[in-house]
Every structure is written in C-alpha cells, then in structure tokens.
Amino acid sequence: MHATRRVILAGLAGALALPAAASPGPTRAEVLATMKRATAFMTEKAAVHGGYVWSYLPDFSRRWGELEASPTQVWVQPPGTGTMGHLFLDAYHATGDEAYYAAASQAAACLMAGQLPTGGWNYLIDFGGEAAKAKWYATIGANAWRMEEFQHHWGNATFDDAGSSEAMQFLLRIYLEKRDATFKPALDRALDFVLNSQYPNGGWPQRWPAGRPFTKHGADYTSYITFNDDVAGENIKFLVMVAQTLGDPRVGPAIARAMDVFVITQQPAPQAGWGLQHRTDDLTPSAARSYEPRALTTHTTAANVGQLMTFYELTGDPKYLARVPQALDWLAKVALPAPRPDGRTHPTFLEIGTDRPLYIHRRGSNVVNGQYYADDNPQKTLAHYSSFRLVKLDELRARYAALKATPPDKLAQTSPLTHKGPLPRFFANQDFATSDLNGGGTLAPSKASPAAAARLVADLNAQGYWPTPLVATSHPYQGSGPARPTPGDYSQTHVGDDFDTSPYPTDKPMMGISTSAFIKNMGVLISAVDGG
C-alpha cells in the first residue's frame, strides 16, 4: 500500500488555480459541455449503484480496483467512489449545475448502502451479496500473492488506505451542502465509528472491531496502533472537519488524544523513531504483513515528525516539538552513505536496537509456494514495496526551525481547532499517492492551462470518455497455483506466475477508461470554469 494524503489541517483551505492565459483556450460553453458528456458517461455507463472502480476495458468485460473486480463490485479505497463523490461536489461548486450534485448524491447513496453496521467501510462493496463476495475472496483475493490484505475476508471495517476516512469526509461535505437529512444518519454512524474505535491512548487500529482471525502470515496485526498509510492523520483530519462545521463536543478530546499518541509511541533515543504499527501493550513497533518486519521505519518517522509539527501549528503546545530533534538526528544517522540513483536517501526498515538495515526479498512464484523474508542484502529487493525511501531531512529541519521561531499565540489566531469556518470548495485534486498503477500512483492535479483544457475538450471521444493507456493489468483467475515454484525469477516483479492475480505493470497497455484520469481531467476543466 502507498502512503495516502498528508493531513491538511492548517486552515483546511485551498482551491485549484488557473494560471494567466498565455494562449486562447476553449470557450466556457465548450468546457461545460465536455464536463457534462464525460460525467454522463461515468454515471450512466461506468457506475454500479452510483459507485466506481479504478479502471475498465472499453467494453466493460474486465474492470479493476486494486485487484480485478467483479461486475457487481465498487471500490471504496481511493481513487474510488468517495473520490468521485468529492469530484462531483467540486464540479457543482464550480458550475452550480444540479446534475453534479445529483451525481455526488448517487455516490453517497452507494457508500451508505455499503456502510457496515459499525459505521465504517471495507475496501470494496459487493452488490452481488454475501455469496458473490465470498467467491471473490476465495478466488481473486486468495491468489493475489502480494496483496495479503485481500487474501481473507476479515468481516469488519478498515482504516487502511483512507477508504473509510475519505468516505466519511465526503459524507460530511455532502451533508453540509444542503443539510439534507438523508445523509445525516450515515454521517453520525461514521463519526461514532471513529470515536468508538479509538483506543484510550488516542491510537486507532488498522481494522475494527476485531474480525475473523487470520494468522497465515504471522500474528494478526490489524488491532495494533497504526500509523501506516496515514490512518491516524486521516482520522484527525475528519475530526477537525467536524469540529469546524458541526461542533460535536466529543471531537475535541478525541483530537487531543490522537495527537498525543504520536508523542507516547516515539521510541527512546538514540532510536527516536516510529514503526508502521505499534503494539497496544508496550507501545513498541510491531510486524505487520510478511514483508513488513518488526522494525523502525524511516518514512513513517519522517511523516510523524511532520505531523508533530502540524500539531504544534494547531495548538501551540511545545510538547509536540520537544523530541523532534531526536527523531531528526536518528534519521540523519541512518541515512544511506549517498542517495541512490532514484534519489532515495534511506533504508525503509531499521532493526530495533542495532540500526541494521533490513532489506525485503521474496522467493517462489505464487501465494501457495511463495515466501517473503528480510536480510542485510540490498540487492534484488522487492519492486512492489521499496526497501528504500526518500526523506527530505533538510526540509524537515527548516520547518522545525521556523516553527521554533513562531510564537504560539500567533499560531492560535488561525488554528481550525479554535476557529470555525467553511470547508474548502475543492477536495478531489489534492496531491496524494494512491495504489492505482493505472493512475500513475498519484492524484496530483494536472497542469491547468488554456492549452490543457483545449486538449481535453478535443480528446474526449464519441462515447464520452478520455481513452487512457491502462499500463497495469492482472492475470485472470485460473485456480490455485502449484505447490512447486514455476521456473523463473519473480523476486523483483510485481506479479508471480500465471496463477498470481496481483496487478502488475505491462509492456502492452490497452486503451481503456481510468477513474484517476477522469478525476485529473475534470480538475483541469473545473479550474478553467472556476477561474481559480
């Protein structure tokens, strides 16, 4: 999984900006017509009960979320149904056209239909019923070698990869739009889900409540305090949005506890970092998936340092900065002797107690015979989960120095914790990473210019979608793999042998329909209409 959006809390404001025109672009009428045709295709042809997956073949014979999806499935995990709902609200704000509000309402209805009784969501929703969902997990999910979170149906909700968090953020936005009571019960359940699942010390598990046990790859890690994939950060973001707009009295104490868990889980110097997840008893780092050993992690540490500095901006409380220098010193100590050719500066995993890098490898060819393991050899490491990370240490030190020089009372003047106000007008085109290989792994906004808008107007095809090269695909399910490894070297590939249903980059991309491309392209057109 990729890390998702960093928390945007300091003001929760921003809009898509359109640079000054350097050349004539399409007329407003042309842009609006293009937006309407593209949206009509997605809502009428691609959507299932108002929900979406990540990519489709033009004839809809195959479709994918993070794995191949059945025709009755939609994806909650971004860039899925919640992201599309955000995008439609953005289009509504830019145009005032009620058709976009209707499209957003359909996405919300889909999410409400798939909301679990506890108030959260799984990665996907299957409208085919329990039997169809069980079949998918037993076939495509069970045989996705590297996708361990899909090899078993846990039977509960997940905070992983911002699926539940984005869904609840979107439900809050659409409720606030017109205060339509239709959305309020689901929003209330989502808020209760976040509050009820929070541990007394402020942390959140990856999944909640405890689900069906799954120990194929070791201990069940899903109940551990989770920082990976910004679980805590996305939940804090939602709670701050609620505090700004609804003012629920339960939210303030929950935010304070959530911020404090970053402080209490930071490990002692000289290894003053964090792991992907931490045990609930002694607060030490834990192992998770079989390619995530018990270790300190450099990218999580860098992200948590950034969060602590954001918490200082929110509160002015010096406790959030107190041990930041220790974490920065540790990151400096464990940096690689020189950056790698791809610019990455640090090993991902460091052994607790020794700072010895742990590099991740695999052997075998599929989920039946394959195995992940860690050692001290930096050669031939995994391609789908990097053993190296880019940590921008100089930027972290500069931000820390600037905050130390900023009086706390000045920060309080703009903190969203103490100043209620409206949410940003635009949400969908934030700069964040996703697991969508066909979307380039990011939803960073495309450059909004008259020329870019003109290209999009011209490139929308007769059917109403932007043809996009699907650079990733997957093997169709064909049964369980053999116990004996298939000949070949699968140590650095995204996919194993032909029995592995994991997605992988292909050198023979097919043209298809990409939800990520739709979101990015609509963002450009929204900017053209809105004028910044």
Side-chain angles (χ1 to χ4, degrees), residues 1-8 54 66 76-80 83 123 158-167 169 226-237 276 289 299-300 303-304 307 389 430-436 441-444:
M1 300 290 180
H2 293 275
T4 50
R5 290 160 289 195
R6 301 314 311 153
V7 177
I8 301 173
W54 295 359
E66 190 162 18
V76 178
Q77 178 187 3
T83 322
Y123 296 102
T158 181
F159 285 115
D160 189 39
D161 268 9
S164 287
S165 302
E166 182 178 63
Q169 291 164 20
T226 303
F227 296 110
N228 189 31
D229 291 324
D230 209 19
V231 163
E234 286 290 334
N235 286 343
I236 294 171
K237 176 181 175 181
L276 296 171
R289 290 173 291 188
H299 63 296
T300 305
N304 284 8
Q307 293 284 23
R389 303 288 163 154
Q430 297 175 25
D431 188 357
F432 71 101
T434 76
S435 298
D436 182 10
T442 180
L443 270 185

Side-chain angles (χ1 to χ4, degrees), residues 77-247:
Q77 178 187 3
T81 303
T83 322
M84 290 288 281
H86 277 308
L87 185 280
F88 292 137
L89 278 184
D90 292 355
Y92 177 60
H93 290 165
T95 67
D97 190 331
E98 291 291 334
Y100 295 113
Y101 180 80
S105 298
Q106 291 167 9
C110 175
L111 291 172
M112 290 190 294
Q115 187 179 29
L116 298 174
T118 54
W121 287 264
N122 191 21
Y123 296 102
L124 56 93
I125 300 168
D126 196 327
F127 287 97
E130 290 301 313
K133 181 167 58 179
K135 179 181 178 181
W136 185 88
Y137 272 101
T139 55
I140 292 172
N143 286 279
W145 183 12
R146 67 180 177 87
M147 313 298 293
E148 294 177 5
E149 56 276 15
F150 291 104
Q151 292 172 10
H152 165 78
H153 178 40
W154 302 87
N156 56 9
T158 181
F159 285 115
D160 189 39
D161 268 9
S164 287
S165 302
E166 182 178 63
M168 61 186 68
Q169 291 164 20
F170 166 56
L171 286 179
L172 174 62
R173 281 188 79 205
I174 196 167
Y175 168 69
L176 293 171
E177 194 65 45
K178 297 184 179 183
R179 300 279 174 164
D180 186 338
T182 303
F183 307 115
K184 191 62 162 57
L187 174 59
D188 289 342
R189 286 194 297 272
L191 178 57
D192 288 343
F193 172 66
V194 175
L195 296 174
N196 293 337
S197 61
Q198 187 181 35
Y199 292 135
N201 63 19
W204 279 281
Q206 187 198 62
R207 304 192 70 103
W208 189 84
R212 300 167 185 141
F214 185 60
T215 57
K216 177 178 179 180
H217 304 292
D220 181 358
Y221 58 88
T222 59
S223 64
Y224 296 158
I225 297 167
T226 303
F227 296 110
N228 189 31
D229 291 324
D230 209 19
V231 163
E234 286 290 334
N235 286 343
I236 294 171
K237 176 181 175 181
F238 170 66
L239 292 176
V240 171
M241 290 168 65
V242 172
Q244 278 191 292
T245 57
L246 299 180

Side-chain angles (χ1 to χ4, degrees), residues 387-430:
S387 284
F388 303 93
R389 303 288 163 154
L390 171 62
V391 175
K392 298 180 179 180
L393 192 54
D394 289 343
E395 291 184 11
L396 290 172
R397 288 195 186 279
R399 184 182 176 194
Y400 171 75
L403 288 175
K404 285 290 288 184
T406 305
D409 56 350
K410 183 177 179 180
L411 297 172
Q413 295 173 6
T414 58
S415 172
L417 288 180
T418 54
H419 293 76
K420 288 189 176 182
L423 299 178
R425 295 176 65 228
F426 302 113
F427 264 67
N429 274 120
Q430 297 175 25

